[in-house]
Amino acid sequence: MNTQARPVHSNQTGPHEDVKAVVSRHLNSEFKKPIQAHNQTAFDEVNGLVSEWQGPLILDSCCGVGESTAVIAQQHPDALVIGVDKSAHRIDKHSNYQQGGHGERYYVLRADLLDFWRLACNANWQISQHFLLYPNPWPKAAHLARRWHGSPVWPYLVKLGGQLTLRSNWSTYLLEVAEALSLSRIKAGISLLDMHNTAPMTPFERKYQDSGQSLWQLTADLNALN
């Protein structure tokens, strides 16, 4: 089976020139899109677990098939890990990637993060870590608004707090996220992943590694201000 993955191609030669303007507009306005009923139902189901949980809470956003959710739970057996993805097709494949038998506490659910992050903020979730692994880069310059940092829901990701870990095979995406975070006075570090000592956490990461692509990681403490 061919596992080669094509690198990201973009008509941008660096970070988008409108990042600061777009992010600033969203930071200074309210996102009023109505919450969809199925997202509210999914959130209510898992929020009951979270409200009773006394230990660390980790969020794995855009979890896809949930392989990363299971890996994170195995790495953090003292935590409750919540994996969220909007695709029922991907979530339904989770059983193929499930790892178990070691007392992990994790939950994988289908919901749109445009609603889920807002609901989590409104419920005052206290997140210790937030993973966002290989989100769709939407690499065309015209698609800035489709990237998470160009979305009106971006301020809610920041408000959720925790230690943010974001990985991508397109370094420009991470440079833009760092620029977006700087507007909230949050410093971000970007580093090249050590391919020889980094076990893949997602099917995409495995494909990118097998294809010899450079993979990048951004980390930031969303609870810290400069």
Side-chain angles (χ1 to χ4, degrees), residues 130-133 154 157 163-168 171-181 186-193 215-222:
H130 194 170
F131 288 84
L132 192 56
L133 305 178
W154 173 254
L157 179 148
Q163 300 291 327
L164 176 66
T165 298
L166 197 161
R167 291 182 182 177
S168 178
S171 60
T172 297
Y173 193 99
L174 301 189
L175 290 171
E176 289 185 357
V177 170
E179 188 174 1
L181 289 171
I186 295 172
K187 284 185 177 180
I190 299 174
S191 59
L192 186 65
L193 283 179
L215 303 182
W216 302 86
Q217 177 170 281
L218 176 147
T219 57
D221 182 359
L222 301 188

Side-chain angles (χ1 to χ4, degrees), residues 196-217:
H196 299 291
N197 295 301
T198 302
M201 296 177 68
T202 79
F204 278 119
E205 186 165 67
R206 188 172 293 108
K207 279 191 173 186
Y208 298 150
Q209 286 189 355
D210 291 344
S211 301
Q213 296 187 33
S214 296
L215 303 182
W216 302 86
Q217 177 170 281

Side-chain angles (χ1 to χ4, degrees), residues 123-145:
N124 295 314
W125 279 21
Q126 302 296 312
I127 293 176
S128 60
Q129 295 189 63
H130 194 170
F131 288 84
L132 192 56
L133 305 178
Y134 304 97
N136 189 331
W138 293 105
K140 293 183 179 179
H143 292 162
L144 172 61

